[in-house]
Amino acid sequence: SSVSRPGVSNSAPPTATITGDGLYLVQGAVPAIFPGPLVMPQFASQVSDAGRAQILAWADELGLLSGKTDFTGDGSLPGGITGQIELTVDGRLVSLRGLPDASSPDPKPGSPEAFGELWRRVASLPQTLPGELGAEQPYTPTAYAILVGEPPAPQDGLRVNIMDWPLDTPLVTFGGPVANNSARCGLVEGEDAATLTPALAQANQLTMWTQDPEVSTAYGLTVRPI
């Protein structure tokens, strides 16, 4: 299961995710400075089988598994934040949309407020599922989705950070073309992901990437942990 805010940022991970093997992943806190890290740190806690069953029971009790999937109601504003909750129920994917607003203390089942309440519970499992989560540990992604495009524009007063792309696959041919051939998108996984992880940890939002810092064209990366 996962809760996310579509369209906020391609590089931003979901607010919370529970993987198939029961790891509860959340984004770590970072200093509110610019430029921020290229890849936000993540932390993982193991959720018990009983805890995962309880999440599906919440969704059922809140009337969110009865067929309706859009709970935005009349409260969705142009440009406003819409949340998405994805649940695997009996082998099928249930994708729900609504407003991540949990202001109602006693929501009516099947209502936008019920969606907001489920969002609140899943996004704060250490408080809503006490005793069903293990200790929190740093999490290293096993794969990355990467968008390769134009280098970020230099910012006055900020040092330009240039880094060497550590993989053998050239950035100019990485993945496949997207956005009318103005960028390329692909997946890095396995040993390549392990090789890339330390470099990503040193990069920030203004990092320019090259194959050879002396002669190569510079690129910008947008990175989404998988």
Side-chain angles (χ1 to χ4, degrees), residues 126-145:
Q127 292 75 44
T128 57
L129 276 182
E132 301 298 339
L133 270 71
E136 188 176 80
Q137 301 289 338
Y139 176 75
T140 300
T142 58
Y144 301 94

Side-chain angles (χ1 to χ4, degrees), residues 7-141:
V8 174
S9 171
N10 185 60
S11 61
T15 301
T17 300
I18 300 177
T19 66
D21 53 0
L23 287 179
Y24 177 64
L25 305 181
V26 295
Q27 183 174 295
V30 297
I33 58 174
F34 180 80
L38 181 62
V39 180
M40 302 294 286
Q42 289 182 291
F43 291 84
S45 305
Q46 185 70 46
V47 184
S48 69
D49 290 344
R52 284 186 279 175
Q54 180 60 66
I55 293 171
L56 295 182
W58 285 339
D60 189 33
E61 293 165 4
L62 289 167
L64 302 177
L65 301 180
S66 59
K68 182 179 179 181
T69 59
D70 190 336
F71 299 92
T72 52
D74 297 326
S76 182
L77 298 175
I81 293 176
T82 299
Q84 181 167 310
I85 300 176
E86 294 183 342
L87 302 167
T88 301
V89 183
D90 296 331
R92 64 185 177 92
L93 179 65
V94 176
S95 185
L96 311 172
R97 291 176 62 85
L99 305 181
D101 177 9
S103 58
S104 176
D106 187 22
K108 179 182 177 181
S111 66
E113 292 77 17
F115 175 94
E117 176 60 17
L118 181 60
W119 179 286
R120 181 191 70 82
R121 295 181 191 182
V122 177
S124 54
L125 287 190
Q127 292 75 44
T128 57
L129 276 182
E132 301 298 339
L133 270 71
E136 188 176 80
Q137 301 289 338
Y139 176 75
T140 300

Side-chain angles (χ1 to χ4, degrees), residues 204-225:
N204 61 43
Q205 293 166 314
L206 295 181
T207 296
M208 298 182 182
W209 297 81
T210 67
Q211 293 297 132
D212 180 342
E214 298 298 325
V215 299
S216 291
T217 300
Y219 298 88
L221 303 184
T222 300
V223 182
R224 174 78 176 264

Side-chain angles (χ1 to χ4, degrees), residues 121-203:
R121 295 181 191 182
V122 177
S124 54
L125 287 190
Q127 292 75 44
T128 57
L129 276 182
E132 301 298 339
L133 270 71
E136 188 176 80
Q137 301 289 338
Y139 176 75
T140 300
T142 58
Y144 301 94
I146 298 181
L147 186 70
V148 179
E150 293 292 323
Q155 302 290 314
D156 292 341
L158 296 178
R159 181 178 63 88
V160 175
N161 181 21
I162 300 177
M163 295 189 64
D164 187 24
W165 174 250
L167 303 183
D168 293 335
T169 302
L171 283 168
V172 69
T173 59
F174 176 82
V178 295
N180 295 324
N181 294 322
S182 64
R184 301 186 67 84
C185 187
L187 186 68
V188 175
E189 52 191 342
E191 293 183 3
D192 282 347
T195 298
L196 188 58
T197 292
L200 294 178
Q202 299 177 47

